[in-house]
Structure formats: C-alpha cells, structure tokens
Amino acid sequence: MTKNLRVKIGKTIDETYRISFKFNGSTYYGFKGDTLASALLANNIHLVGRSFKYHRPRGIMTAGSEEPNAIVQLHDNSSRTEPNVRATEIEIYEDLEASSQNCWPSVNFDVGGINNILSPLLPAGFYYKTFMWPASFWEKYEYFIRRSAGLGKSPTKPDPDIYEHEYIHCDVLIIGAGISGIIAAKIAAKKGLKTLLVDEKPNLGGSTIYQNSDHFKINNQNSGSWLEKEINEIKKLKNLEIRTRTSVAAYHGYNFLLARENLTDHLPIDQRKDKTRHKLLKIRANKVITATGSIERPMIFDNNDRPGILLSSAIKKYADYFGVACGEKNILFTNNDSAYETAISLIQKGINIEAIIDNREEINSKLIYEVEKSNIKVFKGFTIVNTNGYKRINKVSLMKLSKDGQKVIGSKINLSCDCLGISGGWTPAVHLFTQSGGKLKFREKDQVFIPNKYSSDQISIGSCNGDLTLEDIIKNTPKYLREFLNLKKTDYDNTEVFSSENQSKRNIWLLPSDKILGKTKSFVDYQNDATAKDIKLALREGFRSIEHVKRYTTTGMGTDQGKLGNMHALGIISETAGAKMGELGTTTFRPPYTPLTFGTIVGRNVGEYFDAFRKTPIHDWHVDNKADFENVGQWKRAWYYPKDNEDMNQAVQRESKAARESAGILDASTLGKIDIQGTDASEFLNRVYTNAWSKLAIGKCRYGLMLNEDGMVYDDGVTTRLGENHYIMTTTTGGAANVMGKLEDYLQTEWPELDVYLTSVTDHYATVSVCGPNSKKIISKVIPNLDLTDENFPHMSFKNVNIGKINCRVMRISFTGEHSYEINVQANYGKSVWEKCMQAGKDYNITPYGTEAMHLLRAEKGFIIVGQDTDATMTPIDLQMNWIVSKKKYDFIGKRSLYRSDTSREDRKQLVGLLTDNPDEVLEEGAQIVANVNKSPIEMLGHVTSSYYSPNLKKSIALGVVKGGKNMMGQKLIIPMEKKNINVTVSDPVFLDKENKRLNA
Amino acid sequence: MFIIKCPFCGEREQSEFKAGGEAHIIRPKQPTELSDDQWAEYLFMRKNIKGIQFERWNHVHGCRKWFNVVRDTSNDEIKAVYKMGEKPPVQ
Ligand SMILES: [Zn+2]
C-alpha cells in the first residue's frame, strides 16, 4: 500500500544511510536527516493521531515545534517511553518505535470517534458542565472519559538516562539561528563579545537556508547559498559558541533563561549509554537577541483539520529540505504571497499542483505570474467552504467571496486533491519576548502583534519582530544591531537584497461558509478541538475576558500552547464582540515554550543526590550496629537498633526500659548549637527567651522556651553559661538554622546596639548523652578525675574537663528524667568518646537508644517536642508551662501577644495527658478527640499529639491538645476511630516521677 | 530569578537571598503599653503593593546580613538597595 513520495533528495538527507523504524507496529524506512514526520510523509502516511475531544483523525500539520496534531508516544512500555513527542521534531534513528496517542484501540479504528458524531453534546465548557451534572452521571462516565481523553502515557519505570545542569554566562545570547540570528551572531562575535547562539533545530539557517529561488537574492546570489557562506564563516569565529538542538524554554527577568540542549535523542538507543541525554542550560546573559522567527497561520473554515491538510510553508519545507512530496494532487489555499513560494518550489521539483485558491481578488505579484506561467489555475477571490475525506482529504469545495469578505456567493466548485496547503499569513513568535515581561503592540496593516516595550537589555530582530519579508530583515537587522550593540557600522550595512514578494494580504479570521456556523467544524485549536463555534458560544454565554474564553473553550491550553490558532481566537473574539484587536490584549504565554521532561528539570538531583544529607560523627557506629535511621530535616538520625529479629516496637520497648533500669546512650549531636558571646549576651537571652537569664551563675544550665512575636512556641533547648559573657545555646534539631536566622535578624535589625556575637557550632561538636541510674558509675569510669557528687556537679550544671587529652564540655542535663550527662567534644573525637562510654558501660548493660525511645522516654515525663506536641498555634500557657514565663521581665519576644484577647481565652486547645481505659490500647497520633459522638455534627475538641506504650509504667500513655483541657482533669473523652470508639481519661501530662526523684538517683 | 546587589558583597543571584517582608516596621519599644489593636497593627498588618515596595532581604547564603531593597513588584525591577538603619532613598 505504501508509496514512495521522495522526489529529490533534499539538502540535509543522507540517502546513503537508510534507517528503519516502526510506526504503530509496522516497519518503514527513511534516511538519516529525516524527522519522523518527513519519513512518514515520504511513505505517504498522513494519519498519525486522533484529536483530544472528538477523536477526529488528524495528520501532520507543520514541520516544527508548533505541531499540534502529530504527537506520538516513543518506545511504549519501555523505561525510555515518552509521551507527547512531536513527530516534526524527533529525528529518526535505527529501531525508533513510535505509536499514535489518544486513540483506542488503534488510530484507524478509534472507539472515541463516536464523540465526533456526538459532538453537539460536547460543546465548549463540556468538562466544566459535566462536573455540574448529577454525580451519578459522572461516576458512570468517568471511566469512559478517562480512557478516551488524555495525552499519552507516563513512563512507569525509572528513567535510565542521565541529565545535567549547566550554568552559562555570556555577553550576548542569540535565540534562533535563522538569517537574522546568523547576522546578529557574526556582528556580536566580531565585536569581541562572548556570544552564544542557540537553535532548536539540528542545523543552522532557519527557513532561508533551503531557499533556492531567483525571486529572493542577497548580493546577487540566491538567499540560501548566501546564508550558507555566512554560516561557514561564523563557525570560525572564536568568540562564538553555537548550540544546536537547543530550545529555550523560559525567559525570566534579568535576562535569566532556561534552555534544553538535546544531546542523544537522535541517536540509536544502544549508542546512548553513559551519555548525557539533555542538559538544562541556565543562562545569564548581559544582552539577549531574540530571533525566533514566525509561525505560519492556518485558515479557519469548515473541516480544516483533515489529514493531508498542512501549512503551506511545511509543504515547502518537506519538499526543499527533505525532498518529500506531501501529496500527488496538491492544492494551496492562501490569503498572501507565501503560498506561491511553495508553489514555485513544488513546480521546480515536478510535484503536481492542481490549483491555488486565493482570498484576494486583485493581486499584482511576480510570484503569481510565475506560477500562472506554469498553467496552474489560480482561483482569485475564492474561499474554501468545506473539505471531504475521513482519514485523508480527497476533495475541497470552494465559493466566491463577497466584496466585504463576509459571505460566499455563486455556486460551489469541487476539486479533488490528496493534500491541501494553507497559508493565512505569519505570526511573529513573540512567546519568549512576552515571557520576559515585554509588552506587545498590534500592527493593523498585517494584523500581527509585535514587540513594543522591552523589560530588560534585549531586542527582537527578524520576523519575530515583524520584519516578515527578506527585504525588511536585511534592511533592518543591521540597523537594530548597530543601535543595540553601540556600533558605528556592521558587515551588512550595504547588503543588496532582491525579493519578488508582494506584501498584500486579505485577512479574514473566520472565513464565511454556505452553512450556518452551528453546522460547521472550523478548528481554531487543533490539539484541544476548540472550534470557532465554541468561541462564539463562550461569548454568547457571557465570557468577555480573553483569559476566560481561553479557559472555557480550552483554546491554547494544549502542549503546543496554541501556537497556530491563538491569533484566530483573538480575531474571532474581537470581531464578534466588536472590540479592536489591539485593545483586547493576548493571553499570557507561559514557560516552557516547548515541554520539558522531569529528568531535564531535576538534572543530577536524583536518588541519593536528591537532597544533601547530614551524618553525625558517630554515624558509622550506628550503621555498624544495625540502626534504622529516620530523617530529621536533612539529618539521618538513629531511630532504633533492632537486635536479633526484633521489630521496631520490640526494639523501642527494650531500649526505653534499659535506659530507666540501668543505662542508655543517645547520639544527640544533631541538636543545634549556637555560641553566644558579648557583653550583652545575658540581656540578649532575656529578650529572646520567656524566662529570666541575668541571674544564671557561670557553670549553670537552664531550659529556655522561645516564642514568635505572635506568642506561639517556636523552639526550646538548654542554654549553658560558660563564662561571664559566654553562653552555648542548644536548639531543636530541625529548628537550628531557623533559630540562628531569627536571632541574627533581631540583633541586626531591632537591637543593633547590643554587643552580641552569634556563631553556629552545630557541626563542630559531637554530643554523647548517657542516662539512667548507672550513668554516674559509667561517667566516673570515662572521666575518672571529675568529681561527680551532687555538691560539686549538681543537676543543671556544667564542667569543662579532659578525657585523656581531649577537652570536653560535660553538662548534667536530662531529657529523659533520668540522672543524665551530655558530653560535648570536638566532632572528630565523637566516635571515640561514644565507644569509650560503651566500653565503660558494658557491665551495666549500657543500651544505645534511638530517637523513638527518646521520644517515648520524654513523653513519660510529659516533656514536649516542639513541632510534634506544638504547632504554630500553641502558647506556653496552652502547654501548661506558665512556670517558664517570667512575669517580672518587661519584655521578651512574644510577651505582648500572650495578653491578646485571643491568646488569653480559656477555651483554647491546651496540652493534657490522656490515659486509655484499656491500658493496652495505644492511640494513634493525630486521632481526633471528642466528648460526644451522638450529637451531630460531632464537635472536634482536639487531637492526639504523642502516643506510646510505656514499658516502664506498663500502660498506654498519650499527650494531646484539647479545647479547655486544662480544666478537664479526670474527665472522660472519646477517640473515635474507624471501627471503634476508644474511651480515655484526661490526666496530668507528667506520667512518671512527678517529684523528679530520679534526676538525682 | 533576579540579581540583587548586596550592600556588603555586590551582585549575586536571587537564590542566595531570603525575602523578609515589608521594611521599616519598627518593633514597639514598649509593647505592654499598646492596646490589642495597636499591637495587632505591628504584628499582622503588612502592605502588599503592586508597584514600589520597601522590603527586607537577607543574604542568607552569603554574608548573612539584612538590608533593605526598593523593588517594583510589578516587574521585579530593583530601584535601590540600602543598609539597615539607613533612610530610604527618596522615591
Ligand atoms: Zn552579602
């Protein structure tokens, strides 16, 4: 069945290099240099997909990144599978496998095609309206809609490829290597500026490079040959770096741009191993020159979406560049001169043209005479009113346009064809310009938006700036560059240009038809199946803002972001609403210009490199002793140390018991440590903590609670006075960096008069905490020369001592309620001190315990964990910690907020203990707490914040926050769970050793 | 991603900095003497201007200094940068 439509080998095709590839399961052949689209067209395949909503058959429409229809899935069911790849961009390689998307079971027989027949039921806003239908309807149809809608399939296996990020700084970035970009690159690089030229295509030269016609000449050579020489010249410039297959995705403020450089997608899969697939370039340029060209406009008429209908410029490119005829019976339909360039190219190659249909009545152009000389019939002042052919166009119907272009007149003429090229003029590609914050203006003459106000040091040149003819480009580009780069002259100032093109154009946004609009399907957005009728419906339903019409009709919301049809949507809106185009504005173009894979965005930050992780100096010991770790911020903390076949619960129970019965040892190195010095250090602590610090003696420790200015608990920890003007503060593990930042903020901005210096020393010290009734005996072995009597070294005090030659700070402080010591040593001695303690504790069954047992032990004592038992809504009063709030101090951070009407309410959520009626029942953390389950709606009183089975008390214990809980002591409450209600009694949050006898045991 | 000229280090990428909200909100010297409304005014009320805004920024991954920035929030253009305690340059 397949034909070979290769007419003449194009410039970039290597006919000695044949490549086989698979499309929808069948094998085809193409040549090196082909895109998937050009290779399919050479095999006479147009039908490549189905549309999103109506599942209409769709074919290849363009030859570039603006393609709305020909998007395919590559290598389905493999780890390299990728959806939404534009067939017009992917270069073929041996064993490429592509399949159509959006159709089920196949592109030739698609069940969803019924939507086409049902289309009166699927108007604009269909999906929004569906959600408003009865819920029962949605449930029924959800499966069907999900199955038949959606674009492609995500990969389900890990991505095997490597991606990288690269930072680039340059003087000038030029986006687009068409004729104007090449001119700019030469001028900038020759001026000595570090210049980067990028283009999304594999080759330089844009659309001029395949221009081979006597109608377009530069310095008396045809424009394509002239440009080729220029390209060869710029390749030798040493200030110029060129990156092809590089597409700029985003243009941010301050000339910061993101681009994707594609390095391996064109290679056979077996050649990609160990190579970087994509690079995300993060470019900071002093100056940016945008030369992104323009995109040809389609025409909006009934059934303008059939396979075999392409942009006229795409037909030209397939012929000139790839040597492929898109059809054997071609018809061109235009409102401007561009289609005649296509015609001349096709004539040159012997490709048959049936007719040209031109909206314009009277035209005077050399190009047209040339075409007419070849006996090609030109229908002047005509428009297409309909097309036929389900899976491939086979007929067009045309009628004469009325003088005002609002109606069709006369009788219908039918012409048969297998390919239709449409040319509605050109739209400057201003996407990146607007992304950067630039403002557009509307040019009435040819109905285009062009750059007006720039937001940074940049210019747009060439056709993206509205210079749509070769003449304008050659005339204006050197002029703009002289100004932009501050030059007296350039190499191109006296370039001669000759062009036959006539600039006249007859712009009709929505072409008239012999049918009423309601009976037509004139597609504006091909990918999202938005028609002219939908846009008019949206306006009738009251939508006025272009942004609203866009969302309601989904125009411009596909992966192509409406690169083809957005202008027509605007045009139809302005005509219908009677507004002027320039006043309507455009929708916002958002990054990325073309889609990026997640792999490109994350680069090397995958797997173990996803985030940095911090290890304590004792980490290796924990690993050697089979600890399981938990993440606390970026830290890896030993969570518990399972022995034999213990599960987590068994290990935690054993560790907790051992710590209270004999001795436990904990790696507390992750606690934040801030060294505070200066003559105002005491005053500073007075201001940042709720309690008083001036009277703390040297060598003593004190627990402190830090609030936010809104009165809510922010952090806590023990601070030790090392000297007259010297303190060491500890913070929570997770809060360390924030506390440091907050303290610096106050010092620099509110209290610059204070003589205080802060240094983060978290990583400088390792902290080994030994607790339990035998801890004193163990420490006396480790530090024999330290007098451990309560008189010399009482609870909440500090000693500076040596272990051998190692200096250490020992604090007698406790987070478990046990007699306890914390040894702080220079980080690199941490592991040896830990091992010394383990050795000394051997006879006392010293047991390493992890963070889970630590949490359990402190919960038995009712000690809070900031961030677990508190959130940003708990004051110290809510926590029943009134004792730590100084009444005497005039001020501290958050003090005033504790007297706000809201914070002094009695019915705030307050921290309480909870005891289950069944002592073996352990509550779930986060569970709701209620008083009455029979009254609906059930009033939520609070929730469980911490819950454990206490091996030392042999019962379940929990902390929770309950509305008015302070005054509910002894009261019964209920924890409603999915399958049962659990009865609890409100208790004191301190469950064990209320008298603190164990601290000095 | 804009570029901020830290008054201590010079021009650096935005990613090195942390935004700290509206500038020139002075913590009251005698909070206890304020009414709830006055305290709430200090605590909660912040402007959110489209246009010229005075902001605090911190060179958190650099010198860690706080300073003030005058920024046009409509286009991120930075009009001025000045140290803490200095008077804002005339608009
Ligand atoms: Zn700095």
Side-chain angles (χ1 to χ4, degrees):
Chain A
M1 273 286 283
T2 64
K3 287 180 190 164
N4 181 5
L5 290 186
R6 195 77 66 166
V7 286
K8 180 180 162 223
I9 295 306
K11 253 186 200 162
T12 49
I13 297 296
D14 179 358
E15 62 179 314
T16 62
Y17 197 136
R18 205 169 81 135
I19 289 172
S20 77
F21 65 97
K22 272 197 176 130
F23 180 66
N24 285 338
S26 306
T27 301
Y28 299 95
Y29 296 95
F31 295 122
K32 192 175 168 64
D34 264 326
T35 61
L36 178 59
S38 69
L40 287 171
L41 290 169
N43 285 284
N44 198 27
I45 292 170
H46 279 259
L47 173 62
V48 287
R50 292 271 177 164
S51 70
F52 183 67
K53 201 159 86 180
Y54 303 129
H55 289 246
R56 284 169 67 99
R58 289 282 166 81
I60 297 157
M61 173 111 201
T62 72
S65 59
E66 66 273 27
E67 176 61 38
N69 292 340
I71 53 176
V72 297
Q73 183 101 25
L74 292 187
H75 300 283
D76 201 3
N77 295 322
S78 87
S79 60
R80 280 200 167 85
T81 191
E82 189 175 353
N84 303 337
V85 175
R86 286 166 299 283
T88 49
E89 287 197 301
I90 185 80
E91 298 163 59
I92 58 165
Y93 47 83
E94 194 60 39
D95 293 334
L96 174 139
E97 278 182 45
S99 45
S100 296
Q101 293 181 171
N102 230 8
C103 50
W104 175 66
S106 82
V107 71
N108 276 301
F109 175 73
D110 176 14
V111 169
I114 193 135
N115 286 4
N116 191 25
I117 298 157
L118 293 178
S119 66
L121 302 177
L122 300 170
F126 163 69
Y127 290 100
Y128 300 109
K129 286 168 180 165
T130 303
F131 286 116
M132 292 190 281
W133 289 357
S136 59
F137 181 95
W138 175 245
E139 278 168 25
K140 256 183 217 164
Y141 286 88
E142 186 185 5
Y143 172 79
F144 173 72
I145 289 169
R146 281 192 193 285
R147 178 104 206 202
S148 53
L151 292 165
K153 283 183 279 181
S154 311
T156 53
K157 297 176 188 122
D159 190 333
D161 280 313
I162 303 166
Y163 301 84
E164 275 175 36
H165 290 180
E166 182 181 344
Y167 290 85
I168 296 178
H169 297 262
C170 58
D171 293 322
V172 181
L173 168 70
I174 299 161
I175 311 163
I179 184 163
S180 56
I182 300 285
I183 290 174
K186 187 163 154 191
I187 293 173
K190 278 187 121 180
K191 207 213 165 189
L193 298 166
K194 191 185 166 203
T195 305
L196 173 65
L197 173 66
V198 300
D199 195 284
E200 60 182 2
K201 303 242 155 49
N203 300 305
L204 305 181
S207 60
T208 311
I209 196 70
Y210 53 89
Q211 193 68 256
N212 177 25
S213 154
D214 288 343
H215 295 277
F216 298 92
K217 286 187 161 176
I218 302 171
N219 285 346
N220 230 4
Q221 304 162 54
N222 84 50
S223 54
S225 323
W226 178 86
L227 187 59
E228 204 171 323
K229 283 187 200 132
E230 293 299 309
I231 291 170
N232 289 336
E233 238 182 85
I234 65 160
K235 282 181 176 164
K236 294 175 206 147
L237 296 174
K238 65 171 192 296
N239 282 325
L240 177 65
E241 189 185 348
I242 300 169
R243 303 230 185 171
T244 53
R245 298 191 178 97
T246 301
S247 153
V248 173
Y251 190 164
H252 296 293
Y254 289 67
N255 282 349
F256 180 70
L257 299 94
L258 296 175
R260 180 207 48 206
E261 184 178 18
N262 192 336
L263 297 163
T264 63
D265 281 355
H266 59 292
L267 299 177
I269 289 191
D270 58 7
Q271 286 175 32
R272 297 185 192 178
K273 203 173 174 293
D274 300 330
K275 291 192 179 113
T276 298
R277 183 187 176 204
H278 293 166
K279 264 189 193 173
L280 185 70
L281 309 180
K282 300 179 174 183
I283 307 167
R284 183 75 76 171
N286 288 335
K287 287 171 174 285
V288 174
I289 297 172
T290 305
T292 44
S294 52
I295 297 169
E296 194 166 30
R297 289 179 190 171
M299 304 266 258
I300 311 300
F301 53 89
D302 193 14
N303 290 313
N304 61 344
D305 67 325
R306 300 194 187 281
I309 301 180
L310 290 88
L311 295 178
S312 150
S313 59
I315 293 177
K316 176 170 159 56
K317 180 163 187 181
Y318 286 119
D320 287 346
Y321 206 73
F322 300 102
V324 172
C326 292
E328 293 166 297
K329 289 162 79 180
N330 298 289
I331 291 179
L332 299 173
F333 177 35
T334 188
N335 64 10
N336 68 97
D337 262 18
S338 303
Y340 297 90
E341 294 179 41
T342 304
I344 291 165
S345 270
L346 299 189
I347 294 162
Q348 271 179 359
K349 291 170 188 64
I351 301 169
N352 171 51
I353 300 172
E354 297 282 312
I356 296 178
I357 301 151
D358 197 322
N359 281 170
R360 298 172 296 179
E361 185 81 46
E362 279 167 45
I363 14 173
N364 180 17
S365 155
K366 282 181 197 159
L367 294 177
I368 297 170
Y369 300 146
E370 164 106 11
V371 169
E372 285 179 323
K373 264 198 302 197
S374 310
N375 288 325
I376 288 165
K377 169 81 179 150
V378 179
F379 291 87
K380 293 177 190 167
F382 276 78
T383 183
I384 292 181
V385 292
N386 200 0
T387 66
N388 282 81
Y390 185 54
K391 289 177 196 166
R392 175 82 178 260
I393 187 168
N394 57 30
K395 193 178 85 181
V396 300
S397 308
L398 40 146
M399 288 174 83
K400 187 95 179 155
L401 275 167
S402 66
K403 264 238 145 39
D404 61 1
Q406 300 291 304
K407 303 195 289 284
V408 283
I409 47 179
S411 54
K412 218 183 270 183
I413 302 169
N414 292 325
L415 300 173
S416 72
C417 65
D418 63 356
C419 179
L420 173 68
I422 50 180
S423 173
W426 296 84
T427 300
V430 293
H431 308 72
L432 293 174
F433 165 79
T434 57
Q435 274 186 27
S436 78
K439 297 277 174 278
L440 298 164
K441 67 178 172 209
F442 189 69
R443 191 165 73 190
E444 279 296 332
K445 181 183 76 169
D446 51 353
Q447 305 276 302
V448 292
F449 282 102
I450 52 173
N452 187 27
K453 280 199 193 108
Y454 295 102
S455 62
S456 60
D457 198 356
Q458 55 163 307
I459 49 165
S460 293
I461 57 168
S463 60
C464 73
N465 189 41
D467 286 342
L468 295 173
T469 64
L470 187 65
E471 240 169 313
D472 287 347
I473 290 169
I474 297 294
K475 256 190 349 226
N476 293 334
T477 303
K479 193 171 78 191
Y480 293 141
L481 287 166
R482 281 201 307 269
E483 207 172 300
F484 185 58
L485 299 176
N486 201 12
L487 301 167
K488 285 212 170 59
K489 58 184 177 62
T490 77
D491 289 3
Y492 299 98
D493 293 347
N494 300 312
T495 310
E496 279 172 25
V497 58
F498 167 80
S499 148
S500 299
E501 198 171 6
N502 181 312
Q503 295 188 28
S504 75
K505 173 177 159 189
R506 185 179 190 186
N507 196 79
I508 304 171
W509 293 117
L510 171 60
L511 292 160
S513 168
D514 55 329
K515 281 191 262 177
I516 59 160
L517 185 69
K519 298 266 185 229
T520 65
K521 276 213 185 67
S522 311
F523 289 90
V524 174
D525 181 316
Y526 293 83
Q527 197 175 89
N528 276 338
D529 271 353
T531 62
K533 183 174 63 184
D534 292 331
I535 291 171
K536 293 220 175 191
L537 176 66
L539 291 165
R540 251 198 340 270
E541 291 187 358
F543 292 92
R544 283 294 172 271
S545 148
I546 170 73
E547 294 286 354
H548 290 160
V549 174
K550 167 179 162 174
R551 279 158 184 78
Y552 193 58
T553 61
T554 70
T555 303
M557 289 176 70
T559 60
D560 60 335
Q561 291 197 25
K563 290 186 180 82
L564 295 182
N566 270 355
M567 283 301 294
H568 303 82
L570 274 173
I572 293 166
I573 293 166
S574 79
E575 273 172 6
T576 311
K580 281 186 90 177
M581 277 294 270
E583 288 156 16
L584 215 54
T586 61
T587 59
T588 318
F589 298 110
R590 296 180 201 285
Y593 178 68
T594 50
L596 295 173
T597 61
F598 284 117
T600 312
I601 295 165
V602 298
R604 289 286 179 113
N605 302 317
V606 290
E608 62 178 309
Y609 302 112
F610 181 68
D611 195 10
F613 67 90
R614 300 169 79 182
K615 297 185 285 190
T616 76
I618 308 162
H619 185 84
D620 289 349
W621 191 93
H622 306 318
V623 173
D624 292 344
N625 288 272
K626 311 278 182 291
D628 265 15
F629 291 88
E630 74 167 329
N631 297 324
V632 183
Q634 287 181 320
W635 286 103
K636 294 276 172 204
R637 292 200 73 178
W639 196 7
Y640 58 96
Y641 302 81
K643 255 189 184 172
D644 307 321
N645 291 319
E646 277 177 343
D647 63 17
M648 174 170 166
N649 181 51
Q650 288 165 331
V652 170
Q653 294 286 312
R654 172 181 52 74
E655 289 169 14
S656 307
K657 218 159 174 269
R660 292 220 189 277
E661 283 175 359
S662 178
I665 181 168
L666 173 84
D667 180 357
S669 308
T670 63
L671 288 180
K673 301 173 226 29
I674 300 171
D675 186 273
I676 303 174
Q677 300 192 39
T679 51
D680 293 317
S682 304
E683 172 60 16
F684 181 65
L685 291 174
N686 269 333
R687 296 186 189 186
V688 299
Y689 277 133
T690 60
N691 47 351
W693 290 79
S694 312
K695 288 184 186 138
L696 183 69
I698 294 168
K700 298 286 181 198
C701 316
R702 182 165 287 172
Y703 174 75
L705 202 58
M706 201 181 284
L707 310 184
N708 261 331
E709 207 66 272
D710 62 6
M712 304 304 158
V713 172
Y714 183 67
D715 204 81
D716 69 344
V718 170
T719 295
T720 303
R721 189 165 197 174
L722 301 173
E724 177 63 25
N725 298 320
H726 191 189
Y727 291 84
I728 180 97
M729 172 189 279
T730 59
T731 74
T732 60
T733 297
N738 291 336
V739 170
M740 181 74 186
K742 181 183 162 97
L743 299 183
E744 286 178 320
D745 186 353
Y746 274 90
L747 260 187
Q748 288 179 35
T749 65
E750 300 295 348
W751 309 319
E753 72 281 4
L754 294 185
D755 176 40
V756 176
Y757 301 89
L758 305 172
T759 311
S760 167
V761 293
T762 303
D763 296 287
H764 304 51
Y765 292 94
T767 306
V768 177
S769 172
V770 180
C771 77
N774 285 317
S775 59
K776 192 175 184 173
K777 291 176 195 145
I778 295 166
I779 296 301
S780 73
K781 279 185 168 179
V782 177
I783 319 171
N785 52 353
L786 177 59
D787 174 0
L788 294 176
T789 58
D790 287 346
E791 294 71 41
N792 181 57
F793 194 12
H795 180 59
M796 296 306 270
S797 65
F798 144 82
K799 294 289 173 196
N800 208 340
V801 292
N802 279 7
I803 302 177
K805 282 181 182 168
I806 310 167
N807 179 260
C808 53
R809 292 171 177 167
V810 186
M811 278 86 166
R812 204 180 139 193
I813 52 179
S814 175
F815 191 41
T816 57
E818 293 298 312
H819 192 119
S820 173
Y821 301 88
E822 274 189 23
I823 308 171
N824 290 275
V825 289
Q826 194 181 306
N828 48 340
Y829 295 121
K831 195 172 164 218
S832 73
V833 168
W834 174 279
E835 280 166 343
K836 260 191 168 49
C837 292
M838 287 301 296
Q839 185 61 34
K842 226 174 188 171
D843 297 343
Y844 306 100
N845 182 33
I846 190 169
T847 301
Y849 64 96
T851 49
E852 192 62 24
M854 173 189 83
H855 285 181
L856 191 162
L857 292 165
R858 64 85 210 181
E860 290 177 335
K861 285 291 297 175
F863 294 150
I864 59 156
I865 289 185
V866 173
Q868 174 161 344
D869 301 296
T870 72
D871 53 23
T873 67
M874 300 297 287
T875 69
I877 317 301
D878 298 336
L879 295 171
Q880 307 214 44
M881 290 172 77
N882 311 45
W883 55 270
I884 203 170
V885 181
S886 165
K887 297 239 163 34
K888 286 185 202 141
K889 282 202 296 183
Y890 182 71
D891 193 12
F892 55 81
I893 295 172
K895 172 164 178 156
R896 176 61 186 82
S897 290
L898 298 178
Y899 306 97
R900 290 178 60 237
S901 57
D902 183 55
T903 43
S904 39
R905 273 189 297 120
E906 280 296 306
D907 63 345
R908 287 177 63 82
K909 284 182 185 169
Q910 290 140 358
L911 186 79
V912 294
L914 298 167
L915 291 170
T916 47
D917 286 4
N918 171 3
D920 293 330
E921 181 95 63
V922 180
L923 300 174
E924 258 184 55
E925 289 175 358
Q928 293 291 327
I929 303 170
V930 306
N932 185 350
V933 287
N934 297 318
K935 209 183 105 210
S936 177
I938 298 173
E939 193 194 355
M940 303 294 180
L941 297 179
H943 66 277
V944 178
T945 59
S946 294
S947 172
Y948 307 91
Y949 183 81
S950 161
N952 300 300
L953 296 162
K954 300 197 168 50
K955 64 180 179 188
S956 154
I957 56 165
L959 299 172
V961 292
V962 179
K963 272 184 200 164
K966 213 184 280 185
N967 299 320
M968 291 173 116
M969 218 48 62
Q971 201 170 314
K972 297 271 182 195
L973 291 174
I974 300 164
I975 315 290
M977 299 304 290
E978 197 179 4
K979 295 215 172 87
K980 60 182 169 184
N981 293 326
I982 303 169
N983 297 313
V984 296
T985 307
V986 177
S987 74
D988 188 319
V990 184
F991 300 102
L992 181 128
D993 187 27
K994 286 190 180 41
E995 306 78 24
N996 292 326
K997 284 185 188 148
R998 305 180 69 92
L999 284 174
N1000 294 313
Chain B
M1 281 269 279
F2 35 104
I3 290 174
I4 300 173
K5 191 173 179 183
C6 169
F8 306 93
C9 309
E11 287 191 343
R12 301 294 166 94
E13 289 267 343
Q14 183 190 346
S15 57
E16 291 187 15
F17 298 86
K18 185 175 93 178
E22 191 180 339
H24 304 298
I25 291 177
I26 298 157
R27 188 175 189 273
K29 287 271 178 275
Q30 294 165 321
T32 43
E33 279 153 41
L34 300 181
S35 69
D36 268 13
D37 284 352
Q38 286 169 320
W39 180 246
E41 184 67 32
Y42 158 72
L43 198 55
F44 301 120
M45 296 308 175
R46 296 293 182 272
K47 293 192 195 97
N48 186 14
I49 298 164
K50 182 179 179 185
I52 303 292
Q53 183 158 289
F54 294 78
E55 302 176 328
R56 287 156 23 101
W57 282 79
N58 180 219
H59 196 184
V60 62
H61 301 296
C63 65
R64 295 189 70 86
K65 285 284 194 184
W66 285 90
F67 55 92
N68 296 312
V69 168
V70 186
R71 183 173 65 103
D72 186 336
T73 59
S74 69
N75 60 9
D76 284 339
E77 195 184 317
I78 292 174
K79 304 282 186 187
V81 172
Y82 55 104
K83 291 177 185 170
M84 279 295 159
E86 290 180 355
K87 287 233 158 56
V90 187
Q91 268 179 252

